[in-house]
């Protein structure tokens, strides 16, 4: 579903198609029990960088200093990215890391698939810990009036503290994996389609059919 939405959003970057894909993404979030603010909150660290792209695209080094028309393409790219992030949030919210690992190992057979599946599983488990550490570090800095420091000092303090905690987390994770005799080739859970999976496949097939029909009627 994510691949289909990404391909169609790139092939049909028109307001009508983006509106249709927006409806699909909103229905996906609703079906997963996620609200739009909750999904966007997961990417609050990425959103400022996305919003800067249209602004930079509109700036010019000479007169006219600002060209609003030049910001349209970056703005559409940012909107497509937001749609994909919404679907990614829906996937992460509904799929356990163990199932994701089994799916990657099934999709990429052999040793490469097993190592990639292990990496995906560790990322799903490791990133939430790093985010939690960064939130606690930021809260502790605010309690100590860290928000009154200069911006560069605040950024340096958070960056150094986050890196130090990440290295400690990585050492603890490596020790925990050795203690549990981690197997890079475990017995995966049984993968089976449910009615929701068939419904998502039907929606994806419908989007592909509509996109192909739109291309043939041009």
């Amino acid at each position: 579903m994510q691949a289909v939405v990404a391909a169609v959003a790139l092939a049909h970057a028109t307001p009508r198609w983006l509106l249709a894909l927006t409806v699909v993404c909103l229905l996906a979030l609703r079906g997963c029990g996620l609200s739009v603010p909750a999904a966007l909150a997961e990417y609050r660290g990425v959103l400022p960088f996305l919003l800067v792209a249209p602004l930079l695209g509109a700036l010019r080094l000479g007169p006219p200093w600002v060209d609003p028309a030049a910001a349209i393409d970056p703005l559409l790219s940012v909107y497509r990215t937001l749609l994909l992030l919404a679907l990614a949030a829906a996937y992460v919210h509904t799929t356990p890391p163990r199932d994701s690992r089994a799916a990657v190992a099934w999709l990429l057979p052999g040793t490469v698939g097993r190592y990639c599946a292990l990496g995906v599983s560790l990322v799903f488990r490791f990133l939430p810990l790093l985010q939690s550490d960064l939130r606690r570090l930021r809260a502790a800095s605010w309690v100590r009036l860290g928000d009154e420091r200069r911006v560069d000092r605040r950024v340096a303090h958070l960056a150094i503290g986050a890196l130090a905690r990440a290295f400690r987390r990585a050492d603890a994770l490596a020790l925990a994996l050795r203690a549990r005799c981690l197997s890079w080739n475990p017995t995966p859970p049984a993968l089976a389609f449910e009615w929701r999976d068939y419904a998502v496949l039907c929606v994806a097939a419908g989007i592909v059919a509509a996109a192909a029909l739109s291309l043939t009627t041009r």
Side-chain angles (χ1 to χ4, degrees), residues 61-123:
L61 297 178
W65 299 98
V66 179
D67 183 9
I72 294 178
D73 288 339
L75 188 60
L76 291 177
S77 299
V78 168
Y79 193 75
R80 290 195 295 261
T81 303
L82 290 177
L83 294 180
L84 296 179
L85 290 178
L87 286 182
Y91 172 80
V92 172
H93 186 70
T94 56
T95 308
R98 193 164 179 259
D99 289 348
S100 296
R101 180 177 180 178
V104 172
W106 173 82
L107 184 64
L108 301 173
T111 304
V112 175
R114 288 193 288 269
Y115 276 118
C116 290
L118 177 60
V120 169
S121 178
L122 292 180
V123 166

Coordinates of all heavy atoms in Angstrom, one line a residue, residues 61-123:
L61 N 18.3 35.0 -5.2 CA 19.4 35.8 -4.9 C 19.4 37.2 -5.5 O 20.2 38.1 -5.1 CB 20.7 35.1 -5.4 CG 21.0 33.8 -4.7 CD1 22.3 33.2 -5.3 CD2 21.1 33.9 -3.2
G62 N 18.4 37.4 -6.4 CA 18.3 38.7 -7.0 C 16.8 39.1 -7.1 O 15.9 38.2 -6.8
P63 N 16.5 40.2 -7.6 CA 15.1 40.6 -7.8 C 14.4 39.7 -8.9 O 15.0 39.4 -9.9 CB 15.1 42.1 -8.3 CG 16.5 42.5 -8.1 CD 17.4 41.3 -8.0
P64 N 13.1 39.3 -8.7 CA 12.4 39.5 -7.4 C 12.9 38.5 -6.4 O 13.2 37.3 -6.7 CB 11.0 39.1 -7.8 CG 11.1 38.1 -8.9 CD 12.4 38.6 -9.7
W65 N 13.1 38.9 -5.1 CA 13.7 38.2 -4.1 C 12.9 36.9 -3.7 O 13.5 35.9 -3.2 CB 14.0 39.0 -2.9 CG 14.9 40.2 -3.2 CD1 14.5 41.5 -3.5 CD2 16.3 40.1 -3.3 NE1 15.6 42.2 -3.8 CE2 16.8 41.5 -3.7 CE3 17.3 39.1 -3.2 CZ2 18.1 41.8 -3.8 CZ3 18.6 39.5 -3.3 CH2 19.0 40.8 -3.7
V66 N 11.6 37.0 -3.9 CA 10.7 35.9 -3.6 C 9.9 35.5 -4.8 O 9.2 36.4 -5.4 CB 9.8 36.2 -2.4 CG1 8.9 35.0 -2.1 CG2 10.7 36.5 -1.1
D67 N 9.9 34.3 -5.2 CA 9.1 33.8 -6.3 C 8.1 32.7 -5.8 O 8.5 31.6 -5.7 CB 10.0 33.2 -7.4 CG 9.2 32.8 -8.6 OD1 8.0 33.1 -8.7 OD2 9.8 32.1 -9.5
P68 N 6.9 33.1 -5.5 CA 5.9 32.1 -4.9 C 5.7 30.9 -5.9 O 5.4 29.8 -5.4 CB 4.6 33.0 -4.8 CG 5.1 34.4 -4.7 CD 6.3 34.5 -5.6
A69 N 5.7 31.1 -7.2 CA 5.5 30.0 -8.1 C 6.5 28.9 -7.9 O 6.2 27.8 -8.2 CB 5.4 30.5 -9.5
A70 N 7.7 29.3 -7.6 CA 8.8 28.3 -7.4 C 8.6 27.4 -6.2 O 9.3 26.4 -6.1 CB 10.2 29.0 -7.4
A71 N 7.8 27.8 -5.3 CA 7.5 27.0 -4.1 C 6.5 26.0 -4.3 O 6.3 25.1 -3.4 CB 7.1 27.9 -2.9
I72 N 5.8 26.0 -5.4 CA 4.7 25.0 -5.6 C 5.2 23.6 -5.7 O 4.7 22.7 -5.0 CB 3.9 25.4 -6.9 CG1 3.2 26.7 -6.8 CG2 2.9 24.3 -7.2 CD1 2.5 27.2 -8.0
D73 N 6.3 23.3 -6.5 CA 6.8 21.9 -6.6 C 7.4 21.4 -5.3 O 7.1 20.3 -4.9 CB 7.9 21.9 -7.7 CG 7.3 22.0 -9.1 OD1 6.1 21.7 -9.3 OD2 8.0 22.4 -10.1
P74 N 8.2 22.2 -4.6 CA 8.6 21.7 -3.3 C 7.5 21.5 -2.3 O 7.5 20.6 -1.5 CB 9.6 22.9 -2.8 CG 10.0 23.5 -4.0 CD 8.9 23.5 -4.9
L75 N 6.4 22.3 -2.4 CA 5.3 22.2 -1.5 C 4.6 20.9 -1.8 O 4.1 20.2 -0.9 CB 4.3 23.4 -1.6 CG 3.2 23.4 -0.6 CD1 3.7 23.5 0.8 CD2 2.3 24.6 -0.9
L76 N 4.4 20.5 -3.1 CA 3.8 19.3 -3.4 C 4.6 18.1 -3.0 O 4.1 17.1 -2.5 CB 3.6 19.2 -5.0 CG 2.5 20.2 -5.5 CD1 2.5 20.1 -7.1 CD2 1.1 19.9 -4.9
S77 N 5.9 18.2 -3.1 CA 6.8 17.2 -2.6 C 6.7 17.0 -1.1 O 6.7 15.8 -0.6 CB 8.3 17.5 -3.0 OG 8.4 17.6 -4.4
V78 N 6.6 18.1 -0.4 CA 6.4 18.0 1.1 C 5.1 17.3 1.4 O 5.0 16.5 2.3 CB 6.5 19.4 1.7 CG1 6.1 19.4 3.1 CG2 8.0 19.9 1.6
Y79 N 4.1 17.7 0.7 CA 2.8 17.1 1.0 C 2.8 15.6 0.7 O 2.2 14.8 1.4 CB 1.7 17.8 0.1 CG 0.3 17.4 0.6 CD1 -0.2 18.0 1.7 CD2 -0.5 16.6 -0.2 CE1 -1.5 17.7 2.1 CE2 -1.8 16.2 0.2 CZ -2.3 16.8 1.4 OH -3.5 16.5 1.8
R80 N 3.4 15.2 -0.4 CA 3.5 13.7 -0.7 C 4.3 13.0 0.4 O 3.9 11.9 0.8 CB 4.2 13.5 -2.1 CG 3.4 13.9 -3.3 CD 4.0 13.4 -4.6 NE 5.3 13.9 -4.8 CZ 5.6 14.9 -5.7 NH1 4.5 15.5 -6.3 NH2 6.8 15.4 -5.9
T81 N 5.3 13.7 0.9 CA 6.1 13.0 2.0 C 5.2 12.9 3.2 O 5.3 11.9 3.9 CB 7.3 13.9 2.3 OG1 8.1 14.1 1.1 CG2 8.2 13.3 3.4
L82 N 4.4 13.9 3.5 CA 3.5 13.8 4.7 C 2.5 12.6 4.5 O 2.2 11.9 5.5 CB 2.7 15.1 4.9 CG 3.6 16.3 5.3 CD1 2.7 17.5 5.4 CD2 4.2 16.0 6.7
L83 N 2.0 12.4 3.3 CA 1.1 11.3 3.1 C 1.8 9.9 3.4 O 1.2 9.0 4.0 CB 0.6 11.3 1.7 CG -0.3 12.5 1.3 CD1 -0.7 12.4 -0.2 CD2 -1.5 12.6 2.2
L84 N 3.0 9.8 2.9 CA 3.8 8.6 3.2 C 4.1 8.4 4.6 O 4.1 7.3 5.2 CB 5.1 8.6 2.3 CG 4.9 8.5 0.8 CD1 6.2 8.6 0.1 CD2 4.1 7.3 0.4
L85 N 4.4 9.5 5.3 CA 4.7 9.4 6.8 C 3.4 9.0 7.5 O 3.5 8.2 8.5 CB 5.2 10.7 7.3 CG 6.6 11.2 6.8 CD1 6.9 12.6 7.4 CD2 7.6 10.2 7.3
A86 N 2.3 9.4 7.1 CA 1.0 9.0 7.7 C 0.8 7.5 7.6 O 0.4 6.8 8.5 CB -0.2 9.8 7.1
L87 N 1.0 7.0 6.4 CA 0.9 5.5 6.2 C 1.9 4.8 7.0 O 1.6 3.7 7.5 CB 1.0 5.2 4.7 CG -0.2 5.5 3.8 CD1 0.1 5.1 2.4 CD2 -1.4 4.9 4.3
A88 N 3.1 5.3 7.1 CA 4.2 4.6 7.9 C 3.8 4.6 9.3 O 4.0 3.6 10.0 CB 5.5 5.4 7.7
A89 N 3.2 5.7 9.8 CA 2.7 5.7 11.2 C 1.6 4.7 11.4 O 1.6 4.0 12.5 CB 2.2 7.1 11.6
A90 N 0.7 4.5 10.5 CA -0.3 3.5 10.6 C 0.3 2.1 10.6 O -0.2 1.2 11.4 CB -1.3 3.7 9.4
Y91 N 1.3 1.9 9.8 CA 1.9 0.5 9.7 C 2.6 0.2 11.1 O 2.4 -0.9 11.6 CB 2.9 0.5 8.6 CG 3.7 -0.8 8.6 CD1 3.2 -2.0 8.1 CD2 5.0 -0.8 9.2 CE1 4.0 -3.1 8.2 CE2 5.8 -1.9 9.2 CZ 5.2 -3.1 8.7 OH 6.0 -4.3 8.8
V92 N 3.4 1.2 11.6 CA 4.1 0.9 12.8 C 3.1 0.7 14.0 O 3.4 -0.1 14.9 CB 5.1 2.1 13.1 CG1 5.7 2.0 14.5 CG2 6.1 2.2 12.0
H93 N 2.0 1.5 14.0 CA 1.0 1.4 15.0 C 0.3 0.0 15.1 O -0.1 -0.4 16.1 CB 0.0 2.5 14.9 CG -1.0 2.6 16.0 ND1 -0.6 3.0 17.3 CD2 -2.3 2.3 16.1 CE1 -1.6 3.0 18.1 NE2 -2.7 2.6 17.4
T94 N 0.2 -0.6 13.9 CA -0.6 -1.9 13.9 C 0.2 -3.1 13.7 O -0.3 -4.2 13.9 CB -1.6 -1.8 12.7 OG1 -0.8 -1.6 11.5 CG2 -2.6 -0.7 12.9
T95 N 1.5 -3.0 13.5 CA 2.3 -4.2 13.2 C 3.4 -4.4 14.2 O 4.3 -3.5 14.4 CB 3.0 -4.1 11.8 OG1 2.0 -3.8 10.8 CG2 3.6 -5.4 11.4
P96 N 3.4 -5.5 15.0 CA 4.5 -5.8 15.9 C 5.8 -5.9 15.2 O 5.9 -6.4 14.1 CB 4.0 -7.1 16.6 CG 2.6 -7.2 16.3 CD 2.4 -6.6 15.0
P97 N 6.9 -5.5 15.9 CA 8.2 -5.7 15.3 C 8.6 -7.1 14.9 O 9.2 -7.4 13.9 CB 9.2 -5.2 16.4 CG 8.4 -4.3 17.2 CD 7.0 -4.9 17.2
R98 N 8.0 -8.1 15.6 CA 8.3 -9.5 15.3 C 7.7 -9.9 13.9 O 8.3 -10.6 13.1 CB 7.8 -10.4 16.4 CG 8.3 -11.8 16.3 CD 8.0 -12.5 17.6 NE 8.5 -13.9 17.6 CZ 7.6 -15.0 17.4 NH1 6.3 -14.7 17.3 NH2 8.1 -16.2 17.3
D99 N 6.5 -9.3 13.7 CA 5.8 -9.6 12.4 C 6.6 -8.9 11.3 O 6.7 -9.4 10.1 CB 4.4 -9.2 12.4 CG 3.5 -10.1 13.3 OD1 4.0 -11.2 13.7 OD2 2.4 -9.7 13.6
S100 N 7.1 -7.7 11.5 CA 7.8 -7.0 10.5 C 9.1 -7.7 10.2 O 9.5 -7.8 9.0 CB 8.2 -5.6 11.0 OG 7.0 -4.8 11.2
R101 N 9.7 -8.3 11.2 CA 11.0 -9.0 10.9 C 10.7 -10.3 10.1 O 11.4 -10.6 9.1 CB 11.6 -9.4 12.3 CG 12.8 -10.3 12.1 CD 13.4 -10.6 13.5 NE 14.7 -11.4 13.4 CZ 15.4 -11.7 14.4 NH1 15.1 -11.4 15.6 NH2 16.5 -12.5 14.2
A102 N 9.6 -11.0 10.4 CA 9.2 -12.2 9.7 C 8.9 -11.8 8.2 O 9.2 -12.5 7.3 CB 8.0 -12.9 10.3
A103 N 8.2 -10.7 8.0 CA 7.8 -10.3 6.7 C 9.0 -9.9 5.8 O 9.1 -10.3 4.6 CB 6.9 -9.1 6.7
V104 N 10.0 -9.2 6.4 CA 11.2 -8.9 5.7 C 12.0 -10.1 5.3 O 12.5 -10.3 4.2 CB 12.1 -7.9 6.5 CG1 13.4 -7.7 5.8 CG2 11.4 -6.6 6.6
A105 N 12.1 -11.1 6.3 CA 12.8 -12.3 6.0 C 12.1 -13.1 4.9 O 12.8 -13.8 4.1 CB 12.9 -13.1 7.3
W106 N 10.8 -13.1 4.8 CA 10.1 -13.8 3.8 C 10.3 -13.1 2.4 O 10.4 -13.7 1.4 CB 8.6 -13.8 4.1 CG 7.7 -14.3 3.0 CD1 7.5 -15.7 2.8 CD2 7.0 -13.6 2.1 NE1 6.6 -15.8 1.7 CE2 6.3 -14.5 1.2 CE3 6.9 -12.2 1.8 CZ2 5.5 -14.1 0.2 CZ3 6.1 -11.8 0.8 CH2 5.4 -12.7 0.0
L107 N 10.3 -11.7 2.4 CA 10.4 -11.0 1.2 C 11.8 -11.2 0.6 O 12.0 -11.2 -0.6 CB 10.1 -9.5 1.4 CG 10.1 -8.6 0.2 CD1 9.0 -9.0 -0.8 CD2 9.9 -7.2 0.6
L108 N 12.8 -11.2 1.4 CA 14.2 -11.3 1.0 C 14.8 -12.6 1.5 O 15.3 -12.7 2.6 CB 15.1 -10.2 1.5 CG 14.6 -8.8 1.1 CD1 15.5 -7.7 1.8 CD2 14.8 -8.6 -0.4
P109 N 14.6 -13.7 0.8 CA 15.1 -15.0 1.3 C 16.6 -15.1 1.4 O 17.3 -14.3 0.7 CB 14.5 -16.0 0.2 CG 14.4 -15.2 -1.0 CD 14.1 -13.8 -0.6
G110 N 17.1 -16.0 2.2 CA 18.5 -16.2 2.4 C 19.1 -15.4 3.5 O 18.4 -14.8 4.3
T111 N 20.4 -15.4 3.6 CA 21.1 -14.7 4.6 C 20.9 -13.2 4.6 O 20.7 -12.6 5.7 CB 22.6 -15.0 4.5 OG1 22.8 -16.4 4.5 CG2 23.4 -14.4 5.7
V112 N 20.8 -12.6 3.4 CA 20.6 -11.2 3.3 C 19.3 -10.8 4.0 O 19.2 -9.8 4.7 CB 20.7 -10.7 1.9 CG1 20.3 -9.3 1.7 CG2 22.1 -11.0 1.3
G113 N 18.3 -11.6 3.7 CA 17.0 -11.3 4.2 C 16.9 -11.4 5.7 O 16.3 -10.6 6.4
R114 N 17.6 -12.4 6.3 CA 17.6 -12.6 7.7 C 18.4 -11.4 8.4 O 17.9 -11.0 9.5 CB 18.2 -13.9 8.1 CG 17.3 -15.1 7.7 CD 17.8 -16.4 8.3 NE 19.0 -16.9 7.7 CZ 19.0 -17.7 6.6 NH1 17.9 -18.2 6.1 NH2 20.1 -18.2 6.1
Y115 N 19.5 -11.0 7.9 CA 20.2 -9.9 8.5 C 19.4 -8.6 8.3 O 19.4 -7.8 9.3 CB 21.6 -9.7 7.8 CG 22.6 -10.6 8.4 CD1 23.3 -11.6 7.6 CD2 23.0 -10.6 9.7 CE1 24.2 -12.4 8.1 CE2 23.9 -11.4 10.3 CZ 24.6 -12.3 9.5 OH 25.5 -13.2 10.0
C116 N 18.8 -8.4 7.2 CA 17.9 -7.2 7.1 C 16.8 -7.2 8.0 O 16.4 -6.2 8.6 CB 17.4 -7.0 5.6 SG 18.7 -6.6 4.4
A117 N 16.2 -8.4 8.2 CA 15.1 -8.5 9.1 C 15.5 -8.2 10.6 O 14.8 -7.6 11.3 CB 14.5 -9.9 9.0
L118 N 16.7 -8.7 10.9 CA 17.2 -8.4 12.3 C 17.4 -6.9 12.4 O 17.1 -6.3 13.5 CB 18.5 -9.2 12.5 CG 19.3 -8.9 13.8 CD1 18.4 -9.3 15.0 CD2 20.6 -9.7 13.8
G119 N 18.0 -6.2 11.4 CA 18.2 -4.8 11.5 C 16.9 -4.0 11.7 O 16.8 -3.1 12.5
V120 N 15.9 -4.4 10.9 CA 14.6 -3.8 11.0 C 14.0 -4.0 12.4 O 13.4 -3.0 13.0 CB 13.6 -4.3 10.0 CG1 12.2 -3.9 10.2 CG2 14.0 -3.9 8.6
S121 N 14.1 -5.2 13.0 CA 13.6 -5.4 14.3 C 14.3 -4.6 15.3 O 13.6 -4.1 16.2 CB 13.8 -6.9 14.6 OG 13.3 -7.2 15.9
L122 N 15.6 -4.5 15.2 CA 16.4 -3.7 16.2 C 16.0 -2.2 16.1 O 15.9 -1.5 17.1 CB 17.9 -3.9 16.0 CG 18.4 -5.2 16.4 CD1 19.9 -5.3 16.1 CD2 18.1 -5.6 17.8
V123 N 15.8 -1.7 14.9 CA 15.4 -0.3 14.7 C 14.1 0.0 15.4 O 13.9 1.0 16.1 CB 15.4 0.1 13.2 CG1 14.7 1.4 13.0 CG2 16.8 0.1 12.6

